[in-house]
Amino acid sequence: MTEQLLRAEGARPAVAVYGASGHTGRFVVRELSRRGFTTIAIGRDAGKLAAAGFPMGVRQVVASLEDPASLARALDGAAAVINCAGPFLDTAEPLVSAALQARIHYLDVTAEQGSAQATFARYASAAEAAGVVVIPAMGFYGGLSDLLATAAMGDWTHADEARIGIALDSWEPTEGTRVTGQRNTARRLTISGGTLQPLADPAPNPVWPFSEPFGAQEMVELPFTEAVLIGRHLQLSELHTFLNTAPLRDLRDTTTPPPVAVDASGRSAQTFLVEVEIRRGSTVRRAAARGRDIYAITAPLVVEAVERILGTETAQGGVFAPGALFDARNFLAALAPDLVLS
């Protein structure tokens, strides 16, 4: 199917989703369809694609990362591809390469620091030369915290410290989350002395005084891909990211079930709150966001990024952190009511 056919009769540009039949992928496909994009749902299993319950008009294509020819055919006519298939340590490299070959934009939703680091290191020059935008970690873990930190930073050119507190009332992990956890065993990195450094062992366990309904929460320092993204464009001496310990107990319990939908959108009842504090000297700036379902909120985050990339005719190519490419406050405000800012 050619690009001209996909754009016929006023249709919006086509966007491909790899890993479309997975839990997060289904949210992303629905969000693209809701916004009027022509959507190509790509997966390795025709049966899972057929059973995913995609909206009308979504094109389903079977392709494998191990078969570059099938992947090239699947991406034919797309203007961008969103990778929702973890572990991204395994999937990002072949899919970024395919996107650059096809000269289409690439985004993923990885929480794996090693994957995001590799994307910046390996593809920055090639993406710039191709005029292609590449954004790793454009999801709840990574992109959201980067945008909040950028918004809080405002007009400061540097800061002494950023602290990010993430609170979840529960965590019902997907199968993909569990598989990724088994694959992603590298020591976590955070920013210390202005550069990425290994996290202290044992990790600090402070108490974070969240606003209601969470209140004071026992935390553990646990950086995700926001450390990689923030380190690419914000000048910080220190960065510390903390997650409350209660959802980690859910995650580590092998009997914890996967997410259960409680509304027509497919969202679970899980709630989250992310609070960011940026300090320079004795002055502290803050930004916060709350919402429901960390998997579901990833869809408007990554699709809003696609919307903005495709709507900018003069977009510069390269590998970017979202806060370096977008107006962070404006971007976050556009996600209401899925995301409530304070």
Side-chain angles (χ1 to χ4, degrees), residues 156 159-161 277-286:
W156 286 352
D160 298 321
E161 181 184 30
E277 299 176 347
I278 305 281
R279 180 182 61 81
R280 189 171 75 173
S282 60
T283 303
V284 177
R285 291 177 171 179
R286 296 179 172 86

Side-chain angles (χ1 to χ4, degrees), residues 245-260:
T245 56
L248 287 175
R249 289 193 289 271
D250 294 338
L251 181 63
R252 290 164 182 158
D253 183 350
T254 57
T255 67
T256 302
V260 176

Side-chain angles (χ1 to χ4, degrees), residues 63-146:
S64 169
L65 297 180
E66 291 75 34
D67 182 356
S70 73
L71 191 58
R73 289 192 297 270
L75 296 178
D76 182 35
V81 59
I82 301 171
N83 182 7
C84 296
F88 295 90
L89 287 165
D90 300 324
T91 66
E93 182 174 358
L95 201 51
V96 177
S97 296
L100 291 176
Q101 184 69 28
R103 291 187 174 269
I104 66 174
H105 306 298
Y106 169 93
L107 303 91
D108 68 38
V109 296
T110 184
E112 302 157 53
Q113 291 185 330
S115 174
Q117 282 185 295
T119 298
F120 276 104
R122 294 171 184 166
Y123 297 107
S125 296
E128 183 175 4
V132 167
V133 173
V134 173
I135 305 180
M138 191 64 240
F140 176 81
Y141 290 116
L144 177 56
S145 292
D146 175 63

Side-chain angles (χ1 to χ4, degrees), residues 112-315:
E112 302 157 53
Q113 291 185 330
S115 174
Q117 282 185 295
T119 298
F120 276 104
R122 294 171 184 166
Y123 297 107
S125 296
E128 183 175 4
V132 167
V133 173
V134 173
I135 305 180
M138 191 64 240
F140 176 81
Y141 290 116
L144 177 56
S145 292
D146 175 63
L147 288 164
L148 286 167
T150 305
M153 190 87 163
D155 60 354
W156 286 352
T157 57
H158 70 278
D160 298 321
E161 181 184 30
R163 299 176 76 247
I164 301 171
I166 302 171
L168 314 179
D169 69 344
S170 62
W171 194 346
E172 296 174 330
T174 65
E175 179 184 356
T177 295
R178 292 198 181 280
V179 171
T180 296
Q182 295 168 2
R183 175 74 171 84
N184 184 32
T185 58
R187 188 172 177 182
R188 305 280 177 136
L189 302 174
T190 190
I191 296 174
S192 182
T195 62
L196 285 171
Q197 298 290 336
L199 178 65
D201 186 15
N205 284 95
V207 172
W208 188 289
F210 285 99
S211 58
E212 294 301 326
F214 286 96
Q217 292 282 317
E218 179 184 337
M219 310 290 282
V220 64
E221 186 164 4
L222 189 65
F224 294 91
T225 40
E226 78 293 324
V228 176
L229 299 179
I230 288 170
R232 302 296 302 191
H233 72 107
L234 295 183
Q235 298 301 310
L236 298 172
S237 296
E238 302 286 327
L239 171 67
H240 302 285
T241 302
F242 304 93
L243 178 67
N244 60 331
T245 56
L248 287 175
R249 289 193 289 271
D250 294 338
L251 181 63
R252 290 164 182 158
D253 183 350
T254 57
T255 67
T256 302
V260 176
V262 297
D263 63 22
S265 73
R267 293 186 303 174
S268 72
Q270 179 197 54
T271 61
F272 65 81
L273 174 61
V274 182
E275 295 183 346
V276 176
E277 299 176 347
I278 305 281
R279 180 182 61 81
R280 189 171 75 173
S282 60
T283 303
V284 177
R285 291 177 171 179
R286 296 179 172 86
R290 56 185 171 86
R292 271 183 49 202
D293 195 327
I294 62 174
Y295 299 106
I297 194 62
T298 289
L301 276 163
V302 72
V303 174
E304 179 68 21
V306 167
E307 182 109 46
R308 290 173 182 241
I309 293 167
L310 296 181
T312 305
E313 294 181 0
T314 58

